[in-house]
Amino acid sequence: MGLGVGALAAAVLAAGSGPTLGANVTAYQPEAYRTPVAERALDRLRDTGMDDAAVVVTWYMDDARSSTVAPDPGLTPSDDSVERMIREARGRGLRVALKPHVDVRDGTFRGEIAPADRAAWWAAYTRMVERYADLAARAGAEILVVGTELRSMSGDQDAFREVVARARSRFDGALTYAANWDEVGQVRFWDALDAIGVDAYYPLASAPGATAAQLRAAWRPIVRRLERLSDRWDRPLALTEIGYAARPDAAVDPSGAGASPGPYDPGAQAVAYEAALDAWRDSERLAAIWWWDWPADPRDAVGDAYTARDRPAEAVLRAFTDEEGGGGPVASIPWSLLMAVAIWILVPIGFLLIVRRLAGRRAGPETPPAVDPPAAPAPAATDEPDAPDAPEGPGATEAETASEPLDAAAAAPRARDARFSRAWREDLRDLGRADLDRLCRLACEVLDVEMAVVLVRAPDDPDSLVTAGQSGVDLRGRRWPADAGVAGMVLAGGEPVSVSDYSLLSSRIGPKAAAGLRAGAAAPVVVRHAVRGSLSIGTRDAERRFDDRDLELVGALAELVASAIARPGGPDELEDVRAQLRGVRAALDARDPDEHLRIATTVGFAARLGRRLLPEDPRLHAELALAARLHDVGMLRVPSASVRAATSGDDPRLARMHPVWGCELLAEIPGLQTVAAIVRFHGERWDGGGVPHGLAEERIPLASRIIAVARAWSEMTTDEAEPRSPEHALHELREAAGGRFDPRVVEVAASVGATMPRPAPRPERPVAG
């Protein structure tokens, strides 16, 4: 009837299709599993694309010393309701596990119980497992979990083996035990079970704010350790629980983050989901992942803290199941989730799916990562088929057309859309494809160093490194051993590193490569989960030391390099890039239709500043124009109710993270990695008090400093409640020069502001009714 012995391996691992996804379905009322709420929870779980439902039922002990385990008449779901829930889940095509729990009424963690009479406790516990083995067999469940997180009891190996034998005599499906993450290596009866179950609440970070790349790096040794355990016992792995509360410390203390009310941060939850799925995606030993949790009971407050439902983490799950070939039709996605995806989207695949939906087109299959070092960038041809629709006059962009009366944007949306499309076309011609040299120049600028170089494994010899991008040094055409220099240290360890004495490395990389450098740092360039190279920086300043903040910054820039290598862009991809950008704009407009006026003013003012401050390089002006349009794209991840707190700085984390989120989203679009970097730094302040990195003065990219001034101007002059005059706006800019803003940019703004058109009054909104 069920999957049988070894079924997890046979059903999933042998197929080579990667882990199935599921969720722990929870309820804490006797008849909660018989309600329409429970049925809707199953519908939503299935529509998310997941395949498994682990139905949880809980018995209780009075305190840690109690020797009895019994159902609670007011809390434990009745047998009839559990059986009905299993049948309902199976009727929806879900694979079902029945997962009994033991909780302690005084709050003691179940893994710390110490029954006064262990024999009596084991007798009571065995009766519980037998009861649910019979129920699982009647209802047709495929898997039975014979225990959950009983760390202080799982050392009683003989008693546990007896429990397993009793369950096996009554239930012919697959059996596993859900060991706590700090217990799994101590269990000695895995050979009696069909899979090694792990409740994987591993702490992955020491403080909130870790990136997905940092969390993936933290997962690597854990994955390797569990896979070795799986090999030793010859049993597949199942993450019987893994979960993250929607809290800033989601990955810091996964098991305790939702224990009490705290700051709401579904973005941190989604980042943790993304990292976990990426870390385990290619494991050949993992059979299933069951997320904690999926409440079927409105009273489940802890479940509400952890659930992915109606949060960006659900979009992460949908993206994963869509990519892996699971999930229902897109048409079945609830409208509320579509809105959540458009607003909160976090992972690259989920982002591209939403963009394709918004653009009304279907993208082709994902291309494999680049192996050859990217060639030096060249501007795209200007005689595209779309050229007849381009604006009159050379180089015209939305930055130019923004000088038209600004109320035209609201009064004539079709004209606005045509202008928008023409602007993308012109700017993308100038951007062409990813430019690793430009990213290296940015690295030199923001880290205040003289040299930056991107080294990648040679396509014809993975044991050699070649130069793919550089600034401040000429290393093109040279090769080095892959284990040499600071890059070799990064490739060996997969983590950012710093060195205080470059001379120690020069013997292997040669004096020309060392170029008189005295200190340096590097971070891995990770493409498709493999370290393909490094971004290395160096300085001739013998006193310079690179601290953790510097390494974080090098790592962030290395992620942009990785995106550029994986998605180099080029003329053949321009139409797809345009479609993605149209999707971004649609998401922004859906979020706040009134934003177009402010953005148009920002773009127009930034363009005027750029003509006075930037070199005569079409690519630099194109980068500025796109970054000015999209500088706030990261706000799509900020809850609508929290937008003001993010922009005003009232919520420091949101204020810090929305430039980072914007950078991450844009970095996934081919050829826009430098634009993404400009967006990342537009919240920095001249005095060093800005976000996200606290850069100061010339370390902030000039384009980012220009956007900061242009944005402030547009916010003041287009404020719906109290618009300032251009004269008043310029006065406030001057007051903030040297603190918030670059004094030189403000000085130019004083002369440019006089050429800006005064915004026309906003059109009155129709009154309903």
Side-chain angles (χ1 to χ4, degrees):
M1 69 160 228
L3 293 183
V5 177
L8 290 176
V12 183
L13 297 179
S17 60
T20 60
L21 294 191
N24 286 263
V25 182
T26 55
Y28 299 95
Q29 298 181 76
E31 301 305 317
Y33 282 142
R34 300 173 64 92
T35 65
V37 173
E39 293 182 13
R40 287 195 295 270
L42 289 176
D43 290 336
R44 191 64 171 275
L45 189 153
R46 177 202 58 196
D47 293 343
T48 303
M50 293 190 281
D51 298 307
D52 299 344
V55 178
V56 174
V57 58
T58 306
W59 283 24
Y60 294 86
M61 298 168 56
D62 290 333
D63 55 50
R65 298 285 293 164
S66 177
S67 300
T68 61
V69 182
D72 186 310
L75 296 174
T76 303
S78 69
D79 288 0
D80 286 346
S81 71
V82 173
E83 187 170 342
R84 185 176 187 276
M85 191 66 168
I86 293 172
R87 295 185 186 280
E88 290 286 340
R90 283 178 54 79
R92 287 163 172 78
L94 296 169
R95 183 175 64 173
V96 182
L98 182 55
K99 190 163 177 275
H101 281 201
V102 172
D103 275 355
V104 187
R105 289 189 177 89
D106 66 3
T108 301
F109 171 51
R110 64 178 68 94
E112 297 175 352
I113 61 174
D117 185 340
R118 295 179 80 89
W121 186 92
W122 276 112
Y125 185 77
T126 302
R127 287 193 294 273
M128 180 185 81
V129 173
E130 287 179 326
R131 176 168 170 172
Y132 288 115
D134 290 340
L135 191 156
R138 288 197 309 272
E142 289 91 345
I143 303 165
L144 176 67
V145 181
V146 297
T148 299
E149 299 173 353
L150 297 171
R151 183 178 59 198
S152 60
M153 304 300 291
S154 61
D156 295 0
Q157 182 180 165
D158 291 341
F160 237 123
R161 286 184 180 275
E162 178 63 20
V163 169
V164 173
R166 296 286 189 93
R168 186 82 73 190
S169 69
R170 296 165 179 266
F171 174 72
D172 64 358
L175 301 181
T176 188
Y177 168 68
N180 201 46
W181 63 275
D182 57 358
E183 169 199 8
V184 61
Q186 304 170 16
V187 175
R188 292 292 178 267
F189 50 86
W190 291 123
D191 57 320
L193 297 163
D194 302 315
I196 296 172
V198 187
D199 284 6
Y201 296 105
Y202 293 91
L204 302 173
S206 58
T211 65
Q214 290 169 328
L215 298 183
R216 284 195 298 270
W219 266 115
R220 288 186 197 117
I222 299 169
V223 172
R224 289 195 294 266
R225 188 162 65 248
L226 290 176
E227 288 181 332
R228 288 196 297 269
L229 183 72
S230 173
D231 288 338
R232 185 163 74 247
W233 288 96
D234 192 25
R235 294 292 185 274
L237 295 166
L239 302 188
T240 41
E241 284 183 30
I242 178 172
Y244 303 96
R247 303 278 191 263
D249 58 345
V252 177
D253 181 18
S255 64
S260 60
Y264 179 66
D265 191 350
Q269 179 191 47
V271 168
Y273 266 64
E274 175 191 349
L277 288 170
D278 281 349
W280 284 101
R281 180 189 301 271
D282 298 323
S283 174
E284 296 181 355
R285 302 301 300 166
L286 184 65
I289 299 175
W290 298 341
W291 296 95
W292 184 271
D293 67 356
W294 203 263
D297 183 342
R299 298 197 313 178
D300 187 2
V302 172
D304 286 341
Y306 277 87
T307 186
R309 204 156 60 213
D310 291 322
R311 291 175 179 160
E314 185 176 353
V316 175
L317 293 175
R318 287 179 180 273
F320 183 87
T321 56
D322 284 347
E323 182 187 19
E324 297 298 317
V330 173
S332 68
I333 300 175
W335 172 249
S336 61
L337 181 66
L338 288 176
M339 291 302 294
V341 170
I343 293 172
W344 295 91
I345 191 67
L346 283 169
V347 293
I349 298 166
F351 175 69
L352 292 177
L353 287 171
I354 292 304
V355 165
R356 289 166 184 158
R357 285 182 59 81
L358 292 169
R361 58 173 290 151
R362 199 174 175 87
E366 184 179 4
T367 57
V371 176
D372 295 323
T382 57
D383 56 349
E384 300 175 39
D386 297 326
D389 295 330
E392 297 179 4
T397 67
E398 184 178 287
E400 300 285 348
T401 58
S403 62
E404 301 170 9
L406 294 179
D407 62 338
R414 290 186 179 179
R416 180 196 74 184
D417 291 345
R419 188 165 65 240
F420 181 93
S421 298
R422 291 195 299 268
W424 288 136
R425 200 169 292 126
E426 292 295 314
D427 288 343
L428 291 175
R429 285 176 185 149
D430 287 329
L431 291 178
R433 61 178 294 165
D435 186 347
L436 296 183
D437 287 349
R438 176 85 171 97
L439 287 174
C440 287
R441 289 195 292 273
L442 270 172
C444 289
E445 191 173 351
V446 301
L447 284 149
D448 191 23
V449 296
E450 297 92 320
M451 181 278 286
V453 60
V454 174
L455 299 175
V456 298
R457 294 186 187 273
D460 58 343
D461 180 10
D463 293 328
S464 297
L465 298 177
V466 294
T467 303
Q470 60 183 11
S471 178
V473 66
D474 184 9
L475 301 176
R476 198 83 71 183
R478 297 201 58 194
R479 286 180 181 249
W480 296 269
D483 60 350
V486 68
M489 296 167 64
V490 166
L491 266 64
E495 302 290 341
V497 299
S498 64
V499 294
S500 57
D501 188 352
Y502 236 99
S503 64
L504 299 176
L505 305 175
S506 60
S507 61
R508 296 212 64 195
I509 64 176
K512 182 177 180 181
L517 300 174
R518 303 299 298 274
V525 172
V526 181
V527 181
R528 305 291 193 273
H529 316 294
V531 179
R532 301 299 178 92
S534 76
L535 170 64
S536 303
I537 61 170
T539 178
R540 298 181 181 89
D541 181 358
E543 303 300 319
R544 179 72 183 272
R545 296 294 180 268
F546 296 99
D547 58 20
D548 289 344
R549 289 175 57 188
D550 293 321
L551 292 181
E552 178 188 7
L553 189 51
V554 178
L557 294 170
E559 290 179 7
L560 290 177
V561 170
S563 293
I565 291 174
R567 305 165 185 82
D572 294 341
E573 294 185 80
L574 288 183
E575 182 53 41
D576 189 53
V577 172
R578 290 180 191 130
Q580 294 179 44
L581 290 172
R582 285 195 297 269
V584 174
R585 172 180 169 258
L588 288 168
D589 282 354
R591 181 65 177 266
D592 187 351
D594 291 335
E595 278 292 278
H596 187 82
L597 179 61
R598 182 184 66 79
I599 292 173
T601 306
T602 301
V603 173
F605 201 35
R608 285 166 168 75
L609 293 173
R611 284 197 291 271
R612 298 279 296 274
L613 292 166
L614 292 175
E616 289 297 326
D617 183 337
R619 185 182 183 95
L620 299 182
H621 291 271
E623 289 173 354
L624 175 64
L626 277 173
R629 287 188 196 100
L630 300 173
H631 66 277
D632 265 352
V633 69
M635 297 298 288
L636 291 176
R637 293 187 186 170
V638 177
S640 299
S642 303
V643 167
R644 184 185 178 282
T647 55
S648 66
D650 293 342
D651 187 327
R653 174 171 167 76
L654 288 180
R656 178 180 184 273
M657 290 307 298
H658 87 261
V660 175
W661 291 333
C663 172
E664 291 173 351
L665 291 174
L666 293 178
E668 299 305 318
I669 301 178
L672 296 194
Q673 287 76 30
T674 308
V675 175
I678 295 170
V679 168
R680 186 184 190 98
F681 301 119
H682 83 274
E684 305 287 354
R685 290 172 53 106
W686 182 257
D687 61 8
V691 294
H693 298 287
L695 301 180
E697 300 184 358
E698 302 290 339
R699 288 185 63 178
I700 308 168
L702 178 55
S704 302
R705 286 178 263 151
I706 289 172
I707 291 173
V709 170
R711 173 182 174 169
W713 163 276
S714 68
E715 286 178 341
M716 289 186 284
T717 58
T718 65
D719 184 87
E720 186 172 9
E722 187 181 354
R724 278 81 144 185
S725 67
E727 294 77 16
H728 187 177
L730 287 172
H731 173 74
E732 293 199 25
L733 288 177
R734 288 193 180 99
E735 289 290 310
R740 181 179 175 188
F741 303 121
D742 179 350
R744 184 165 66 107
V745 177
V746 172
E747 181 182 350
V748 174
S751 59
V752 167
T755 69
M756 286 291 290
R758 291 176 179 265
R762 293 175 182 262
E764 293 187 6
R765 298 180 181 178
V767 178

